[in-house]
Structures are given as C-alpha cells and as structure tokens.
C-alpha cells in the first residue's frame, strides 16, 4: 500500500514559532516558565514541554515569579497588564497574523468603528481580539447573526485567522446589503480579511487527497479544532477517515484491501508524530496484506 501525505500538513508557521520561543525562553532562563493554558492543542507535545519544565497554568494568580509565554492565539491586553503588575517576564509568542488582527481591532475602535469579528466567540484568539477593542467588538459566527446585529454607522470587519473564507464573505455580503438599504447601518464598511492561509491550504490539500485515496488518516489532538475540521472535510469526500493522536491507535483492519492511504495532520501536530504514523501505517498495511494472502492460501 502506498501512503500519500497531503501537500500541506502539520505545524503551521505560528505554532512552530511559539514552540521555538518557549524552548528558547527555557534555555535562557533558570526560573519557572509557564503558559496560560496549553501552548498548543497536542497532548504529546505539551507533555514533552512539561518534561523540559514548561508548565501549563490556568490562572495568572498561580504565578508569583517567572516567565509567561503568550500562546500563538494571543491574549487580551488585560492579561499582559496583569503579568506586568505581577513582575513576570513576558515572551510574546502571539502569531504575527493574530497580532495583525488584534492591532486592526484596536486601531479601528480608536477611530470610532464598530468592530465585527467573524469567528467562534468562545475561542481564545477571538476573546483576545475582542479584548483589544475594550470589549466593544461584536462577534458573529455566520451571516444569520450578522443580519441581526445592532450596528453603528461605521463598521470594520475582521476575521478569526482560521475562519473559512466563504463564511467570512457571507458575513460581509450581509453587511453590504444592509449598507445599501436606505436608512440602515452601516453607512461605511471597511473589510479586512485577516484569515491565515495556512488553514485554508491544509484544508484544500486534505480535500484533494481524500478524493484520491481509499482511506484517510488525520493526526492531531482530539481537542484541536483545526484537526477535527480536517477530519470532517475528509469524511465529506466519502472516504473512510480516522482521526488519531498517535501511531499506536492505528488498526490494521482500516487498511485491508486499500491500495493508497492518505495522511494529513492538524497545524499543531509535530513532524515526528506524522513520521511515526506514516511508518506504522506502512507496517500495518504489509501485515494486512500478508494476512489476506494467508487467508487465500487456506481456502485453496
Ligand atoms: Fe498563525 Fe495561521 Fe498558525 S494564524 S498560528 S500561522 S494557523
């Protein structure tokens, strides 16, 4: 069986950078190093970081001294202020693409715009962006919510970096329709697509690969929203799809009779896990092949 990897899979630029900055902080500091919540949604990587002394805390109150590494999702300005007040050293690993969305949100608010963020209101990245507007931004998950928004005359729209482009465009279309309707706000609409292409590229590569193979394996944390989304996209193609975190979860029966298997991974999955999975898939496929040949032999 041949194993084909998606053209774009695994660590994105922002996640890779956040891990490198955390490891660099560890190498350069002797005190405690911690992140507020897990640095990435991959339990195997979080465990490795913990072995190196990079801890996960849930509340800044648990940190009296040391270095706080800000995750790639970014944080509200209040968190940075609280860290400063506590005398913590801060290493800001906010992904530059998220930073751009935060800065736009802040600047638009200062210029008198109502900021509309298209995204998941519970996601830490979105909570962070809203924080940069002093809590004034409106969050919408899709066009239906955009149609119900109470709007001020001047509106600036931005996106959570991992938003699907079509959802963002659907929200903008609703706001534009409201713009041309007489008397209905907004009367000025500024649109900033802050979507990061790493997500779209991985999703497109997964979609294309799933359409060509007999079975798909998606690797990444069960808590990782972007990995779950990749698995959903692969399933939509009708190809049997399995979402796993590690190689030991693979089962040989998944590959029985398969000629080509596809492999992709979420943005928080490191290369070493992807490689391990690829090796194990090949081994299991060989075993499945041998078992089939033996079964044929017995029936002779
Ligand atoms: Fe940054 Fe895009 Fe990754 S916003 S954290 S490079 S998915």
């Amino acid at each position: 069986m041949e194993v084909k990897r998606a053209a774009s899979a695994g660590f994105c630029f922002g996640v890779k950078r956040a891990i490198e900055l955390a490891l660099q902080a560890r190498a350069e500091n002797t005190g405690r190093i911690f992140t507020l919540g897990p640095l990435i949604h991959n339990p195997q990587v979080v465990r490795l970081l913990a072995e190196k002394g990079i801890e996960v805390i849930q509340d800044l109150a648990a940190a009296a001294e040391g270095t706080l590494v800000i995750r790639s999702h970014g944080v509200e300005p209040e968190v940075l202020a609280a860290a400063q007040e506590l005398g913590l050293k801060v290493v800001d690993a906010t992904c530059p693409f998220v930073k751009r969305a935060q800065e736009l949100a802040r600047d638009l608010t200062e210029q008198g715009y109502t900021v509309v963020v298209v995204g998941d209101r519970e996601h830490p990245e979105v909570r962070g962006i809203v924080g940069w507007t002093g809590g004034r931004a409106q969050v919408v998950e899709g066009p239906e919510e955009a149609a119900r928004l109470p709007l001020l005359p001047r509106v600036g729209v931005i996106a959570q970096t991992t938003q699907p482009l079509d959802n963002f465009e659907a929200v903008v279309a609703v706001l534009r329709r409201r713009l041309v309707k007489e008397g209905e706000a907004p009367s000025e609409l500024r649109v900033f697509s802050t979507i990061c292409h790493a997500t779209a590229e991985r999703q497109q590569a997964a979609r294309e690969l799933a359409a060509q193979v007999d079975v798909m394996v998606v690797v990444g944390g069960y808590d990782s929203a972007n990995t779950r989304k990749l698995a959903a996209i692969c399933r939509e193609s009708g190809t049997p799809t399995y979402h796993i975190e590690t190689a030991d979860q693979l089962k040989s029966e998944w590959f029985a009779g398969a000629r080509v298997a596809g492999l992709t991974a979420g943005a928080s999955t490191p290369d070493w896990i992807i490689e391990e999975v690829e090796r194990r898939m090949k081994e299991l496929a060989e075993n499945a092949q041998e078992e089939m040949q033996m079964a044929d032999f017995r029936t002779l």
Side-chain angles (χ1 to χ4, degrees), residues 12-15 72 95 97-98 161 196 198-199:
C12 64
F13 154 78
V15 164
S72 55
C95 175
F97 299 125
V98 176
T161 53
C196 156
T199 307

PDB file of all heavy atoms in Angstrom, residues 12-15 72 95 97-98 161 196 198-199, ligand 1:
ATOM      1  N   CYS A  12       1.970  24.746  11.602  1.00  0.00           N
ATOM      2  CA  CYS A  12       1.955  25.981  10.822  1.00  0.00           C
ATOM      3  C   CYS A  12       3.069  26.876  11.368  1.00  0.00           C
ATOM      4  O   CYS A  12       3.649  26.604  12.421  1.00  0.00           O
ATOM      5  CB  CYS A  12       0.598  26.677  10.959  1.00  0.00           C
ATOM      6  SG  CYS A  12       0.266  27.213  12.644  1.00  0.00           S
ATOM      7  N   PHE A  13       3.310  27.945  10.643  1.00  0.00           N
ATOM      8  CA  PHE A  13       4.390  28.872  10.997  1.00  0.00           C
ATOM      9  C   PHE A  13       4.250  29.408  12.438  1.00  0.00           C
ATOM     10  O   PHE A  13       5.211  29.424  13.212  1.00  0.00           O
ATOM     11  CB  PHE A  13       4.364  30.011   9.964  1.00  0.00           C
ATOM     12  CG  PHE A  13       4.912  31.309  10.441  1.00  0.00           C
ATOM     13  CD1 PHE A  13       6.282  31.501  10.519  1.00  0.00           C
ATOM     14  CD2 PHE A  13       4.063  32.346  10.830  1.00  0.00           C
ATOM     15  CE1 PHE A  13       6.796  32.708  10.975  1.00  0.00           C
ATOM     16  CE2 PHE A  13       4.563  33.546  11.285  1.00  0.00           C
ATOM     17  CZ  PHE A  13       5.941  33.725  11.346  1.00  0.00           C
ATOM     18  N   GLY A  14       3.010  29.787  12.808  1.00  0.00           N
ATOM     19  CA  GLY A  14       2.793  30.423  14.121  1.00  0.00           C
ATOM     20  C   GLY A  14       3.009  29.464  15.278  1.00  0.00           C
ATOM     21  O   GLY A  14       3.557  29.843  16.322  1.00  0.00           O
ATOM     22  N   VAL A  15       2.592  28.207  15.102  1.00  0.00           N
ATOM     23  CA  VAL A  15       2.734  27.210  16.163  1.00  0.00           C
ATOM     24  C   VAL A  15       4.218  26.837  16.325  1.00  0.00           C
ATOM     25  O   VAL A  15       4.738  26.736  17.445  1.00  0.00           O
ATOM     26  CB  VAL A  15       1.853  25.975  15.837  1.00  0.00           C
ATOM     27  CG1 VAL A  15       2.260  24.780  16.672  1.00  0.00           C
ATOM     28  CG2 VAL A  15       0.385  26.303  16.063  1.00  0.00           C
ATOM     29  N   SER A  72       0.270  31.263  20.701  1.00  0.00           N
ATOM     30  CA  SER A  72       0.098  31.821  19.343  1.00  0.00           C
ATOM     31  C   SER A  72      -1.279  32.474  19.167  1.00  0.00           C
ATOM     32  O   SER A  72      -1.431  33.389  18.366  1.00  0.00           O
ATOM     33  CB  SER A  72       0.319  30.743  18.279  1.00  0.00           C
ATOM     34  OG  SER A  72      -0.529  29.647  18.517  1.00  0.00           O
ATOM     35  N   CYS A  95       1.043  34.708  17.345  1.00  0.00           N
ATOM     36  CA  CYS A  95       1.344  34.591  15.921  1.00  0.00           C
ATOM     37  C   CYS A  95       1.229  35.971  15.268  1.00  0.00           C
ATOM     38  O   CYS A  95       0.252  36.695  15.527  1.00  0.00           O
ATOM     39  CB  CYS A  95       0.368  33.621  15.262  1.00  0.00           C
ATOM     40  SG  CYS A  95       0.594  33.558  13.490  1.00  0.00           S
ATOM     41  N   PHE A  97       0.172  36.874  12.521  1.00  0.00           N
ATOM     42  CA  PHE A  97      -1.111  37.056  11.808  1.00  0.00           C
ATOM     43  C   PHE A  97      -2.228  37.410  12.806  1.00  0.00           C
ATOM     44  O   PHE A  97      -3.122  38.196  12.500  1.00  0.00           O
ATOM     45  CB  PHE A  97      -1.496  35.795  11.025  1.00  0.00           C
ATOM     46  CG  PHE A  97      -0.482  35.421   9.973  1.00  0.00           C
ATOM     47  CD1 PHE A  97       0.086  34.163   9.936  1.00  0.00           C
ATOM     48  CD2 PHE A  97      -0.080  36.352   9.024  1.00  0.00           C
ATOM     49  CE1 PHE A  97       1.024  33.824   8.978  1.00  0.00           C
ATOM     50  CE2 PHE A  97       0.861  36.027   8.048  1.00  0.00           C
ATOM     51  CZ  PHE A  97       1.419  34.754   8.028  1.00  0.00           C
ATOM     52  N   VAL A  98      -2.166  36.812  13.992  1.00  0.00           N
ATOM     53  CA  VAL A  98      -3.155  37.124  15.039  1.00  0.00           C
ATOM     54  C   VAL A  98      -2.897  38.545  15.540  1.00  0.00           C
ATOM     55  O   VAL A  98      -3.820  39.331  15.769  1.00  0.00           O
ATOM     56  CB  VAL A  98      -3.086  36.103  16.194  1.00  0.00           C
ATOM     57  CG1 VAL A  98      -4.038  36.486  17.313  1.00  0.00           C
ATOM     58  CG2 VAL A  98      -3.383  34.689  15.694  1.00  0.00           C
ATOM     59  N   THR A 161      -8.409  34.148  12.492  1.00  0.00           N
ATOM     60  CA  THR A 161      -7.470  33.749  11.433  1.00  0.00           C
ATOM     61  C   THR A 161      -7.806  32.410  10.782  1.00  0.00           C
ATOM     62  O   THR A 161      -7.452  32.182   9.633  1.00  0.00           O
ATOM     63  CB  THR A 161      -6.032  33.670  11.986  1.00  0.00           C
ATOM     64  OG1 THR A 161      -6.056  32.827  13.144  1.00  0.00           O
ATOM     65  CG2 THR A 161      -5.478  35.019  12.340  1.00  0.00           C
ATOM     66  N   CYS A 196      -5.774  33.469   7.879  1.00  0.00           N
ATOM     67  CA  CYS A 196      -4.423  32.961   7.638  1.00  0.00           C
ATOM     68  C   CYS A 196      -4.519  31.824   6.624  1.00  0.00           C
ATOM     69  O   CYS A 196      -5.358  30.933   6.756  1.00  0.00           O
ATOM     70  CB  CYS A 196      -3.861  32.453   8.951  1.00  0.00           C
ATOM     71  SG  CYS A 196      -2.595  31.240   8.731  1.00  0.00           S
ATOM     72  N   ALA A 198      -2.599  29.354   6.036  1.00  0.00           N
ATOM     73  CA  ALA A 198      -2.125  28.011   6.450  1.00  0.00           C
ATOM     74  C   ALA A 198      -3.315  27.072   6.616  1.00  0.00           C
ATOM     75  O   ALA A 198      -3.279  25.916   6.194  1.00  0.00           O
ATOM     76  CB  ALA A 198      -1.352  28.110   7.754  1.00  0.00           C
ATOM     77  N   THR A 199      -4.382  27.571   7.219  1.00  0.00           N
ATOM     78  CA  THR A 199      -5.553  26.732   7.471  1.00  0.00           C
ATOM     79  C   THR A 199      -6.217  26.339   6.155  1.00  0.00           C
ATOM     80  O   THR A 199      -6.488  25.152   5.916  1.00  0.00           O
ATOM     81  CB  THR A 199      -6.561  27.498   8.358  1.00  0.00           C
ATOM     82  OG1 THR A 199      -5.862  27.954   9.499  1.00  0.00           O
ATOM     83  CG2 THR A 199      -7.716  26.629   8.773  1.00  0.00           C
TER      84      THR A 199
HETATM   85 FE1  LIG B   1      -0.702  31.723  12.895  1.00  0.00          FE
HETATM   86 FE2  LIG B   1      -2.080  30.805  10.931  1.00  0.00          FE
HETATM   87 FE3  LIG B   1      -0.885  29.174  12.524  1.00  0.00          FE
HETATM   88  S1  LIG B   1      -2.641  32.460  12.247  1.00  0.00           S
HETATM   89  S2  LIG B   1      -0.867  30.203  14.465  1.00  0.00           S
HETATM   90  S3  LIG B   1       0.119  30.616  11.154  1.00  0.00           S
HETATM   91  S4  LIG B   1      -2.864  28.844  11.615  1.00  0.00           S
END
